[in-house]
């Protein structure tokens, strides 16, 4: 019943445009563990009013089956600032339609009255003991996209088998229920609650448990620049700084207010590096700030840059910031826990494609480190299991600039990560140390971990499948490569097929997934490289790392070795020319 999308479809029918009709209606968006992520527009392959209604009807039925007290506890729904004029879709409209679906079945809904960071949804699920949460966001995707992200009652993103169960329920509930389109009904419903005020207050109280140096924060002369890249983060990072006793960061004026067009950037993704930070660098130079904090549009990720003595800006990789935050959070914990036995109940987590620096710190300091599959859904669920066993999970991170610094949110959170980074920098400044100098000190103490990651773009799923099939049948059927250029392969783990050459029974310990490609190669020189497909973008990604034991300080030699390994990986395993792959461009 959306006049804009139905007009699009009628127009295509009138023109007899079979190709576009096939694109819009040929296949339904797949509901996976990341929920939905697609362009806004007409048809069942896009995010629109109808597909949101259908998805929520399925989700509602699935929750009814799993929770006998759903009508007592309810769900939370949040949204970002995305909007798509030509199809009439927006995150707020989708959130209201979803709320209407639940309320029509007698389920209480805690619908945020305004835009919020993604981490507020998992926080609310846990804080109010709700059955589930939905965040309508496409995070840092291009402006035409939107998404529907789902959290379970434990406050973590869903994992299998929930995705399959919800997907089946969506298939069985496609006919919109009576009043499905009438979202105005919710405004007068006693089942509609607005958690905005209380949750904001409680969230900032909870993150203050990670504030250890309020006096230093109040006195610091360090200046920070913050950009929310046209997303939701501005107000919340300002409030976080206030909660920690820090002076507010300078905001990049052109980017501080939400704008679904993202007019000043090519991609609204701070992971893309310096291109997204051009305006931040200019403001920092003007106001004499040394540190830039950049959130992605839904404020669940954080990029950090620091001005070097040379005048150049260094943008920290996700792994480097992970090393710094891991060191900092453990140091703060250690200084506040004199009981040396307590360390045996301390855990840190990172994903399998992230740097192993936390493993090195854990080995030396005596706490536990665990590796999970890629994505915070795995780290959030594992963290909850450990916390339920009475363990302290201090920190989790992934190289894609995602950090979980506060146990109140079992997902990545760019707001708490920003203010904790600011406190760390303020503390280091009292010791006349920069973030870059401290990073070197961490590597000196625990061993250098040099990483390099990138991706190729490929829009043809058949080419991707063929590329990975070739790696699995490299020298005849079911044989993996024994070398990559001059580098000898010493181990292979394939989490698509479940093969792991290092295990006695050759079976991988981590869960496997046939629906996504992921192979990790270990090399005789101590290098590790993982190749995997992305769940949300047409990319084949790779992650590589060389770990040196403490005391090996020839960083330049390590970097050169890793560069050569990556070049060999691209040439022999990706074969970009043969496979017509498009390189990442800065």
């Amino acid at each position: 019943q959306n006049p804009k999308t139905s007009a699009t479809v009628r127009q295509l029918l009138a023109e007899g445009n079979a190709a576009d009709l096939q694109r819009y209606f040929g296949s339904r968006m797949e509901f996976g563990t990341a929920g939905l992520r697609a362009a806004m527009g007409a048809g069942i392959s896009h995010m629109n009013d109808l597909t949101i209604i259908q998805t929520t009807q399925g989700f509602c039925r699935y929750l009814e089956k799993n929770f006998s007290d759903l009508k007592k506890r309810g769900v939370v729904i949040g949204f970002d600032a995305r909007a798509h004029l030509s199809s009439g879709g927006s995150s707020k409209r989708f959130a209201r339609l979803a709320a209407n679906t639940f309320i029509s079945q007698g389920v209480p809904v805690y619908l945020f009255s305004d835009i919020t960071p993604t981490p507020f949804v998992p926080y609310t699920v846990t804080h109010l003991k709700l059955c589930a949460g939905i965040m309508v966001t496409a995070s840092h995707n291009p402006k035409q996209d939107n998404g529907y992200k789902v959290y379970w009652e434990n406050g973590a993103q869903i994992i299998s088998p929930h995705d399959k169960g919800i997907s089946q329920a969506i298939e069985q509930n496609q006919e919109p229920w009576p009043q499905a389109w009438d979202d105005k009904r919710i405004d007068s419903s006693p089942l509609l609650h607005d958690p905005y005020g209380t949750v904001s207050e409680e969230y900032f109280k909870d993150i203050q448990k990670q504030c250890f140096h309020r006096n230093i924060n109040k006195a610091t002369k360090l200046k920070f620049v913050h950009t929310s890249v046209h997303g939701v983060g501005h107000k919340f990072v300002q409030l976080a700084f206030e909660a920690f006793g820090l002076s507010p960061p300078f905001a990049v004026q052109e980017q501080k207010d939400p704008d679904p067009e993202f007019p000043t950037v090519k991609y609204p993704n701070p992971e893309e590096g310096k291109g997204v930070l051009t305006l931040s660098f200019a403001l920092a130079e003007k106001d004499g700030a040394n540190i830039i904090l950049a959130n992605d549009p839904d404020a669940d990720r954080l990029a950090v840059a620091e001005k070097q003595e040379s005048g150049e800006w260094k943008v920290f990789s996700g792994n480097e910031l992970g090393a710094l935050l891991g060191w900092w959070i453990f140091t703060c914990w250690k200084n506040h826990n004199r009981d040396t036995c307590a360390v045996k109940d301390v855990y840190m987590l990172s994903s399998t494609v992230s740097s192993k620096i936390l493993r090195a710190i854990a080995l030396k300091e005596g706490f536990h480190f665990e590796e999970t599959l890629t994505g915070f859904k795995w780290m959030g669920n594992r963290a909850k299991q450990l916390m339920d066993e009475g363990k302290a999970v201090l920190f989790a991170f992934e190289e894609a600039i995602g950090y979980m610094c506060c146990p109140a949110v079992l997902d990545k959170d760019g707001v708490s990560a920003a203010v904790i980074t600011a406190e760390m920098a303020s503390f280091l400044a009292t010791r006349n140390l920069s973030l870059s100098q401290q990073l070197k000190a961490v590597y000196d103490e625990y061993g250098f971990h040099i990483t390099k990651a990138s991706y190729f773009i490929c829009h043809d799923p058949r080419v991707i499948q063929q590329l990975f099939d070739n790696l699995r049948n490299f020298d005849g059927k079911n044989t993996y490569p024994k070398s990559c250029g001059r580098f000898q392969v010493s181990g292979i783990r394939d989490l698509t097929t479940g093969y792991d050459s290092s295990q006695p029974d050759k079976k991988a310990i981590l869960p496997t997934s046939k629906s996504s490609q992921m192979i990790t190669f270990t090399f005789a020189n101590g290098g590790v490289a993982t190749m995997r497909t992305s769940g949300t973008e047409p990319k084949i990604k790779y992650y590589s790392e060389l770990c040196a034991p403490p005391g090996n300080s020839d960083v330049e030699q390590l970097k050169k070795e890793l560069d050569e390994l990556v070049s060999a990986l691209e040439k022999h395993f990706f074969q970009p020319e043969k496979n017509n792959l498009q390189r990442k461009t800065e």
Side-chain angles (χ1 to χ4, degrees), residues 24 58 84 90 108 115 133 168 170 173 206 208 220 239 264 273 314 324 332 416 451 458 468 522 572 581:
Y24 290 159
H84 189 242
S90 73
I115 54 172
Q168 278 169 349
I170 295 167
N173 290 279
D206 267 338
Q208 281 179 63
T220 188
L239 288 168
T264 64
K314 173 181 171 61
L324 279 167
C332 292
S416 59
T451 60
C458 180
F468 281 92
T522 306
H572 299 287
L581 305 178

mmCIF file of all heavy atoms in Angstrom, residues 24 58 84 90 108 115 133 168 170 173 206 208 220 239 264 273 314 324 332 416 451 458 468 522 572 581:
data_model
loop_
_atom_site.group_PDB
_atom_site.id
_atom_site.type_symbol
_atom_site.label_atom_id
_atom_site.label_comp_id
_atom_site.label_asym_id
_atom_site.label_seq_id
_atom_site.Cartn_x
_atom_site.Cartn_y
_atom_site.Cartn_z
ATOM 1 N N TYR A 24 13.492 -7.062 -8.940
ATOM 2 C CA TYR A 24 12.717 -6.705 -7.751
ATOM 3 C C TYR A 24 12.003 -7.900 -7.126
ATOM 4 O O TYR A 24 11.824 -7.963 -5.920
ATOM 5 C CB TYR A 24 11.662 -5.644 -8.095
ATOM 6 C CG TYR A 24 12.222 -4.265 -8.401
ATOM 7 C CD1 TYR A 24 11.485 -3.337 -9.135
ATOM 8 C CD2 TYR A 24 13.486 -3.878 -7.952
ATOM 9 C CE1 TYR A 24 11.997 -2.065 -9.416
ATOM 10 C CE2 TYR A 24 14.007 -2.616 -8.234
ATOM 11 C CZ TYR A 24 13.251 -1.717 -8.965
ATOM 12 O OH TYR A 24 13.751 -0.470 -9.227
ATOM 13 N N GLY A 58 6.712 -12.641 10.798
ATOM 14 C CA GLY A 58 7.418 -13.904 11.007
ATOM 15 C C GLY A 58 8.166 -13.910 12.328
ATOM 16 O O GLY A 58 8.119 -14.884 13.098
ATOM 17 N N HIS A 84 14.911 7.194 2.190
ATOM 18 C CA HIS A 84 15.049 6.996 0.750
ATOM 19 C C HIS A 84 13.831 7.623 0.080
ATOM 20 O O HIS A 84 12.746 7.032 0.059
ATOM 21 C CB HIS A 84 15.117 5.484 0.489
ATOM 22 C CG HIS A 84 15.468 5.114 -0.913
ATOM 23 N ND1 HIS A 84 14.614 4.410 -1.728
ATOM 24 C CD2 HIS A 84 16.602 5.331 -1.643
ATOM 25 C CE1 HIS A 84 15.202 4.202 -2.901
ATOM 26 N NE2 HIS A 84 16.405 4.754 -2.879
ATOM 27 N N SER A 90 12.043 4.715 5.146
ATOM 28 C CA SER A 90 12.987 5.325 6.087
ATOM 29 C C SER A 90 13.081 4.423 7.301
ATOM 30 O O SER A 90 12.171 3.629 7.585
ATOM 31 C CB SER A 90 12.530 6.724 6.521
ATOM 32 O OG SER A 90 11.428 6.626 7.403
ATOM 33 N N PRO A 108 3.881 -5.784 24.133
ATOM 34 C CA PRO A 108 4.388 -4.449 24.469
ATOM 35 C C PRO A 108 5.640 -4.118 23.642
ATOM 36 O O PRO A 108 6.494 -4.986 23.441
ATOM 37 C CB PRO A 108 4.750 -4.537 25.954
ATOM 38 C CG PRO A 108 4.213 -5.832 26.445
ATOM 39 C CD PRO A 108 4.001 -6.722 25.264
ATOM 40 N N ILE A 115 16.173 8.923 17.011
ATOM 41 C CA ILE A 115 17.317 8.106 16.579
ATOM 42 C C ILE A 115 18.228 7.781 17.761
ATOM 43 O O ILE A 115 18.380 8.604 18.668
ATOM 44 C CB ILE A 115 18.136 8.822 15.484
ATOM 45 C CG1 ILE A 115 18.552 10.225 15.946
ATOM 46 C CG2 ILE A 115 17.370 8.865 14.181
ATOM 47 C CD1 ILE A 115 19.520 10.935 15.031
ATOM 48 N N GLY A 133 15.179 -7.649 20.550
ATOM 49 C CA GLY A 133 15.369 -6.266 20.106
ATOM 50 C C GLY A 133 15.542 -6.217 18.604
ATOM 51 O O GLY A 133 16.032 -7.175 17.993
ATOM 52 N N GLN A 168 11.854 -19.253 8.293
ATOM 53 C CA GLN A 168 10.695 -20.117 7.996
ATOM 54 C C GLN A 168 9.390 -19.427 8.392
ATOM 55 O O GLN A 168 8.401 -19.476 7.658
ATOM 56 C CB GLN A 168 10.811 -21.446 8.760
ATOM 57 C CG GLN A 168 11.726 -22.446 8.058
ATOM 58 C CD GLN A 168 12.038 -23.637 8.950
ATOM 59 O OE1 GLN A 168 11.742 -23.642 10.142
ATOM 60 N NE2 GLN A 168 12.660 -24.653 8.379
ATOM 61 N N ILE A 170 8.817 -16.256 8.528
ATOM 62 C CA ILE A 170 8.527 -15.170 7.573
ATOM 63 C C ILE A 170 7.815 -15.751 6.348
ATOM 64 O O ILE A 170 6.808 -15.210 5.881
ATOM 65 C CB ILE A 170 9.832 -14.425 7.158
ATOM 66 C CG1 ILE A 170 10.450 -13.696 8.355
ATOM 67 C CG2 ILE A 170 9.542 -13.414 6.031
ATOM 68 C CD1 ILE A 170 11.879 -13.207 8.121
ATOM 69 N N ASN A 173 4.155 -16.287 6.963
ATOM 70 C CA ASN A 173 3.320 -15.147 7.389
ATOM 71 C C ASN A 173 3.460 -13.953 6.452
ATOM 72 O O ASN A 173 3.716 -12.836 6.878
ATOM 73 C CB ASN A 173 3.701 -14.731 8.820
ATOM 74 C CG ASN A 173 3.267 -15.755 9.837
ATOM 75 O OD1 ASN A 173 2.113 -15.790 10.252
ATOM 76 N ND2 ASN A 173 4.198 -16.623 10.235
ATOM 77 N N ASP A 206 25.965 3.408 33.529
ATOM 78 C CA ASP A 206 26.659 2.121 33.438
ATOM 79 C C ASP A 206 28.057 2.243 32.840
ATOM 80 O O ASP A 206 28.983 1.581 33.304
ATOM 81 C CB ASP A 206 25.823 1.115 32.615
ATOM 82 C CG ASP A 206 24.919 0.274 33.511
ATOM 83 O OD1 ASP A 206 25.221 0.155 34.713
ATOM 84 O OD2 ASP A 206 23.919 -0.273 33.014
ATOM 85 N N GLN A 208 30.010 4.644 33.101
ATOM 86 C CA GLN A 208 30.915 5.320 34.047
ATOM 87 C C GLN A 208 31.673 4.322 34.936
ATOM 88 O O GLN A 208 32.665 4.676 35.565
ATOM 89 C CB GLN A 208 30.137 6.298 34.925
ATOM 90 C CG GLN A 208 29.839 7.600 34.196
ATOM 91 C CD GLN A 208 29.041 8.561 35.047
ATOM 92 O OE1 GLN A 208 29.511 9.002 36.089
ATOM 93 N NE2 GLN A 208 27.836 8.889 34.606
ATOM 94 N N THR A 220 42.715 17.520 31.852
ATOM 95 C CA THR A 220 43.519 17.304 30.640
ATOM 96 C C THR A 220 43.488 18.508 29.692
ATOM 97 O O THR A 220 42.468 19.189 29.557
ATOM 98 C CB THR A 220 43.075 16.034 29.883
ATOM 99 O OG1 THR A 220 44.023 15.795 28.829
ATOM 100 C CG2 THR A 220 41.694 16.190 29.262
ATOM 101 N N LEU A 239 27.543 13.478 25.331
ATOM 102 C CA LEU A 239 27.057 13.083 26.664
ATOM 103 C C LEU A 239 28.032 12.126 27.361
ATOM 104 O O LEU A 239 28.204 12.177 28.574
ATOM 105 C CB LEU A 239 25.675 12.417 26.554
ATOM 106 C CG LEU A 239 24.514 13.361 26.217
ATOM 107 C CD1 LEU A 239 23.265 12.566 25.856
ATOM 108 C CD2 LEU A 239 24.216 14.299 27.397
ATOM 109 N N THR A 264 29.050 14.575 2.315
ATOM 110 C CA THR A 264 30.473 14.957 2.283
ATOM 111 C C THR A 264 31.416 13.770 2.098
ATOM 112 O O THR A 264 32.631 13.955 2.073
ATOM 113 C CB THR A 264 30.879 15.682 3.589
ATOM 114 O OG1 THR A 264 30.753 14.756 4.680
ATOM 115 C CG2 THR A 264 30.022 16.912 3.841
ATOM 116 N N GLY A 273 39.298 4.802 5.903
ATOM 117 C CA GLY A 273 40.549 5.538 6.131
ATOM 118 C C GLY A 273 40.451 7.030 5.913
ATOM 119 O O GLY A 273 39.421 7.656 6.160
ATOM 120 N N LYS A 314 48.247 9.733 11.744
ATOM 121 C CA LYS A 314 48.223 8.266 11.710
ATOM 122 C C LYS A 314 46.804 7.798 12.026
ATOM 123 O O LYS A 314 46.263 8.134 13.084
ATOM 124 C CB LYS A 314 49.187 7.677 12.741
ATOM 125 C CG LYS A 314 49.059 6.146 12.860
ATOM 126 C CD LYS A 314 49.996 5.562 13.908
ATOM 127 C CE LYS A 314 49.706 4.093 14.169
ATOM 128 N NZ LYS A 314 49.855 3.223 12.992
ATOM 129 N N LEU A 324 45.668 -1.403 21.893
ATOM 130 C CA LEU A 324 45.711 -0.323 22.890
ATOM 131 C C LEU A 324 44.592 -0.464 23.923
ATOM 132 O O LEU A 324 44.832 -0.365 25.131
ATOM 133 C CB LEU A 324 45.601 1.041 22.189
ATOM 134 C CG LEU A 324 46.884 1.592 21.569
ATOM 135 C CD1 LEU A 324 46.574 2.761 20.641
ATOM 136 C CD2 LEU A 324 47.871 2.031 22.669
ATOM 137 N N CYS A 332 43.735 -1.102 33.802
ATOM 138 C CA CYS A 332 42.773 -0.501 34.745
ATOM 139 C C CYS A 332 42.208 -1.568 35.679
ATOM 140 O O CYS A 332 42.074 -1.347 36.889
ATOM 141 C CB CYS A 332 41.633 0.192 33.999
ATOM 142 S SG CYS A 332 42.150 1.656 33.088
ATOM 143 N N SER A 416 30.917 4.134 23.871
ATOM 144 C CA SER A 416 31.778 3.866 25.038
ATOM 145 C C SER A 416 33.237 3.743 24.602
ATOM 146 O O SER A 416 34.145 4.203 25.304
ATOM 147 C CB SER A 416 31.319 2.601 25.768
ATOM 148 O OG SER A 416 31.344 1.480 24.920
ATOM 149 N N THR A 451 49.892 -6.413 10.948
ATOM 150 C CA THR A 451 48.725 -6.926 10.206
ATOM 151 C C THR A 451 48.508 -6.129 8.923
ATOM 152 O O THR A 451 48.909 -4.965 8.808
ATOM 153 C CB THR A 451 47.434 -6.835 11.049
ATOM 154 O OG1 THR A 451 47.203 -5.459 11.385
ATOM 155 C CG2 THR A 451 47.530 -7.650 12.317
ATOM 156 N N CYS A 458 33.759 -8.246 -6.040
ATOM 157 C CA CYS A 458 33.339 -9.177 -7.085
ATOM 158 C C CYS A 458 31.827 -9.331 -7.012
ATOM 159 O O CYS A 458 31.282 -9.750 -5.989
ATOM 160 C CB CYS A 458 34.012 -10.532 -6.894
ATOM 161 S SG CYS A 458 33.520 -11.708 -8.156
ATOM 162 N N PHE A 468 37.258 -20.184 -4.684
ATOM 163 C CA PHE A 468 37.451 -21.009 -3.481
ATOM 164 C C PHE A 468 37.520 -22.501 -3.833
ATOM 165 O O PHE A 468 38.269 -23.251 -3.208
ATOM 166 C CB PHE A 468 36.364 -20.713 -2.441
ATOM 167 C CG PHE A 468 36.625 -19.444 -1.667
ATOM 168 C CD1 PHE A 468 36.104 -18.218 -2.086
ATOM 169 C CD2 PHE A 468 37.423 -19.464 -0.530
ATOM 170 C CE1 PHE A 468 36.364 -17.051 -1.387
ATOM 171 C CE2 PHE A 468 37.691 -18.295 0.185
ATOM 172 C CZ PHE A 468 37.164 -17.080 -0.246
ATOM 173 N N THR A 522 48.172 -21.066 7.383
ATOM 174 C CA THR A 522 49.294 -20.748 8.269
ATOM 175 C C THR A 522 50.574 -21.050 7.483
ATOM 176 O O THR A 522 50.640 -22.062 6.768
ATOM 177 C CB THR A 522 49.235 -21.609 9.538
ATOM 178 O OG1 THR A 522 47.947 -21.440 10.132
ATOM 179 C CG2 THR A 522 50.298 -21.188 10.544
ATOM 180 N N HIS A 572 48.803 -15.428 -6.426
ATOM 181 C CA HIS A 572 48.600 -16.865 -6.637
ATOM 182 C C HIS A 572 47.231 -17.378 -6.211
ATOM 183 O O HIS A 572 46.716 -18.322 -6.798
ATOM 184 C CB HIS A 572 49.702 -17.658 -5.908
ATOM 185 C CG HIS A 572 51.078 -17.350 -6.391
ATOM 186 N ND1 HIS A 572 51.561 -17.787 -7.619
ATOM 187 C CD2 HIS A 572 52.077 -16.618 -5.834
ATOM 188 C CE1 HIS A 572 52.797 -17.347 -7.782
ATOM 189 N NE2 HIS A 572 53.138 -16.639 -6.719
ATOM 190 N N LEU A 581 38.723 -9.279 -10.783
ATOM 191 C CA LEU A 581 38.376 -8.716 -9.478
ATOM 192 C C LEU A 581 38.791 -7.247 -9.422
ATOM 193 O O LEU A 581 39.813 -6.865 -9.967
ATOM 194 C CB LEU A 581 39.100 -9.470 -8.355
ATOM 195 C CG LEU A 581 38.913 -10.996 -8.303
ATOM 196 C CD1 LEU A 581 39.732 -11.587 -7.162
ATOM 197 C CD2 LEU A 581 37.443 -11.359 -8.143
#
